[in-house]
Amino acid sequence: ASFLLLTFIYSLTSLLDLSGKVSTLLGAASRVAQLNDALDAHDQQQEQQRKEHWKQQEQRQRKEHREQQEQQQRKEHREQQQRQLDCGVQHQPGRAANLVDHDCTAQQQQQQQQ
């Protein structure tokens, strides 16, 4: 009977030891899962920040391009007005700029012939 009692006590002790190890293992697995979730959330946050950065960058580039185009158009318009003033051709509303420039060129050629 004492052998059976010792075997029972040993089995019970082994079982308690094993349950402690399982508990430790489950705790570690839980911490790994929490860490994995935290890393996923961090990755999502970084991806969102990257998208926002590229969106802002794209908007900035579009704005700069639009401003450059507007500046170029204003410059070309000023140059055209100056050419018209230089040759004395008056701008006529609705008349294309290249026709006004043609009139200016024609007028200059006439002046050279005279």
Side-chain angles (χ1 to χ4, degrees):
S2 65
F3 177 74
L4 286 175
L5 185 60
L6 286 176
T7 304
F8 176 72
I9 292 173
Y10 176 77
S11 297
L12 188 59
T13 305
S14 295
L15 206 88
L16 288 174
D17 186 42
L18 182 61
S19 70
K21 290 179 181 178
V22 168
S23 175
T24 301
L25 183 62
L26 290 175
S30 173
R31 286 191 294 277
V32 167
Q34 289 173 349
L35 179 60
N36 191 33
D37 290 344
L39 289 173
D40 284 344
H42 183 263
D43 287 347
Q44 288 176 354
Q45 181 183 13
Q46 279 191 327
E47 182 64 24
Q48 185 64 29
Q49 287 174 346
R50 247 190 315 274
K51 285 180 182 179
E52 186 64 29
H53 170 76
W54 286 114
K55 182 180 176 182
Q56 290 173 355
Q57 182 92 4
E58 185 178 335
Q59 288 173 344
R60 194 174 319 125
Q61 287 175 346
R62 284 182 182 169
K63 181 181 177 186
E64 289 172 1
H65 181 68
R66 188 173 48 251
E67 289 172 351
Q68 287 174 351
Q69 284 181 324
E70 290 171 355
Q71 184 179 10
Q72 182 66 26
Q73 287 173 347
R74 285 191 299 272
K75 179 183 174 190
E76 289 172 0
H77 183 71
R78 282 192 308 270
E79 289 172 352
Q80 177 191 4
Q81 286 178 331
Q82 186 60 46
R83 283 193 308 272
Q84 292 170 3
L85 288 173
D86 289 346
C87 73
V89 174
Q90 294 295 320
H91 174 67
Q92 300 167 2
R95 187 158 169 85
N98 61 344
L99 294 177
V100 174
D101 286 342
H102 176 73
D103 292 347
C104 186
T105 303
Q107 186 177 17
Q108 287 172 347
Q109 287 174 350
Q110 284 178 352
Q111 289 174 352
Q112 287 175 356
Q113 290 174 355
Q114 294 173 353

